Amino acid sequence: MGVPGLTDFELKQPDIRPKEPYAISVHVPWLNWGNVGDLTVKSLGQYFNAEKLAEFKRPGDFYSFSFYRDRSRSYVDDEGNRHMEFPNSRVYYASRNEHDLLLFHLLEPTQFGEIYVDRVVSLMKRLDVRRYVVAGAMGAGVPHTRPAIVIGRSSEPELTERLKQMGIRESFGGQYQGPTSILNMISLQLQHEGIATAGLIVNSPNYLGNFDNYRGAHDLLKILSELEGFNIPLEPIEAIANNQSNEINQQMAANPQYERMVRELESNYDTLIHQEENEAHVQLPPSIEKFLNGLQQ
């Protein structure tokens, strides 16, 4: 017996008609190491003064509130009224001269994942999305003292070539089999609908834990700015990133074991970059391979 009446996205502005919008999405918690995706989408939303366009009317259909307890909160507004906010997937909209911009903050469902994916894809079709870009990060054995390695791929060969020209590294095709996320199905379904997809993934230092990686967010925003023609100022987030790096360096200087580990990672990083001068591709962790492979199926 099926489950009737599962919630759908509730549009806050039902009469909106975006101009062939491009969508940028973060997948939480998957592909959001160091909150890079969160920080990126939040920065874009603030810069464009994006307005909330849609969210699930009844998020409990897709989410266990106990599992996402850290995303539930109670607050009092300026008039003294108490409100409660629960885990949800939300979409924000910003008007632009050419392609409008849609920002998707997608929280991975804990139940009814297939229906969730159908809801997301249906909304994109309703809004006439022309391109869907997933932006985020995965933990990797890379040092914080070197430029971020960003890998990516698109279902459009021309866009993949443009990403390569921008310095984005492409992985081997591979035939990875193993754990993945239901959110990966969104790109596959969009491709079946003729909608272009792409992924941009930052390799974030895994030894620092899942902290707010402003360096990764800065590098991702810089790439998106070039790709989409944004003029978002990067100086504020770069300043935060520099302060973080200085603090980490101070901790490293006080811990010889920590310093030796970072030096070894630097050596591995430099060797990899040197090898890339004569190689077209980069070998990636299986989890990232799985995500990128899905973009071309």
Side-chain angles (χ1 to χ4, degrees), residues 12-272:
K12 300 299 183 180
Q13 301 177 29
D15 295 330
I16 196 169
R17 292 294 183 271
K19 302 184 290 292
E20 297 186 340
Y22 287 166
I24 297 175
S25 177
V26 54
H27 291 175
V28 179
W30 195 60
L31 297 180
N32 191 40
W33 187 275
N35 295 317
V36 168
D38 264 330
L39 293 170
T40 298
V41 169
K42 181 179 179 180
S43 297
L44 290 173
Q46 292 175 341
Y47 174 71
F48 286 107
N49 195 26
E51 299 181 7
K52 185 167 68 175
L53 176 66
E55 64 182 358
F56 286 120
K57 184 176 183 180
R58 195 172 59 242
D61 285 352
F62 295 118
Y63 299 114
S64 164
F65 293 162
S66 59
F67 181 83
Y68 282 116
R69 194 180 304 279
D70 60 329
R71 291 182 176 268
S72 300
R73 70 188 188 98
S74 175
Y75 66 95
V76 178
D77 63 22
D78 294 337
E79 298 179 355
N81 300 313
R82 180 168 294 279
H83 301 270
M84 299 190 73
E85 187 175 277
F86 295 104
N88 207 339
S89 286
R90 297 181 173 89
V91 185
Y92 301 86
Y93 165 76
S95 178
R96 302 178 65 219
N97 292 332
E98 296 182 14
H99 296 277
D100 287 346
L101 181 64
L102 294 169
L103 301 174
F104 280 74
H105 190 278
L106 300 182
L107 198 62
E108 187 168 15
T110 55
Q111 58 261 352
F112 302 115
E114 296 91 341
I115 299 176
Y116 172 92
V117 169
D118 289 341
R119 296 286 195 266
V120 174
V121 172
S122 295
L123 179 64
M124 291 194 197
K125 291 169 60 180
R126 179 176 178 181
L127 297 174
D128 200 24
V129 169
R130 296 301 181 182
R131 186 163 76 197
Y132 177 70
V133 177
V134 178
M138 291 287 287
V142 294
H144 70 279
T145 53
R146 295 290 189 268
I149 292 178
V150 183
I151 51 92
R153 186 183 296 163
S154 172
S155 61
E156 282 189 335
E158 292 182 1
L159 183 55
T160 295
E161 183 60 31
R162 185 180 174 193
L163 292 175
K164 290 169 63 177
Q165 293 175 358
M166 292 169 56
I168 308 304
R169 293 160 172 81
E170 184 182 8
S171 73
F172 288 113
Q175 294 296 326
Y176 167 73
Q177 300 182 64
T180 187
S181 166
I182 188 65
L183 295 177
N184 197 39
M185 290 298 301
I186 295 173
S187 293
L188 295 178
Q189 289 199 21
L190 290 176
Q191 290 168 36
H192 294 157
E193 297 292 340
I195 299 173
T197 64
L200 293 169
I201 309 300
V202 175
N203 282 2
S204 183
N206 52 18
Y207 60 87
L208 297 177
N210 204 18
F211 76 123
D212 286 345
N213 182 359
Y214 282 89
R215 177 66 62 193
H218 169 272
D219 294 345
L220 197 52
L221 284 167
K222 184 176 181 180
I223 292 168
L224 287 170
S225 296
E226 182 176 351
L227 180 66
E228 307 291 0
F230 300 154
N231 291 314
I232 181 171
L234 298 175
E235 293 80 9
I237 195 169
E238 183 176 24
I240 298 175
N242 289 337
N243 289 335
Q244 280 189 331
S245 294
N246 290 335
E247 292 177 3
I248 295 170
N249 289 337
Q250 291 176 6
Q251 296 176 13
M252 185 174 68
N255 188 329
Q257 186 176 4
Y258 189 5
E259 186 174 16
R260 284 195 299 271
M261 178 194 67
V262 173
R263 297 303 176 221
E264 182 176 351
L265 290 174
E266 289 176 339
S267 177
N268 294 339
Y269 177 101
D270 295 340
T271 299
L272 173 63

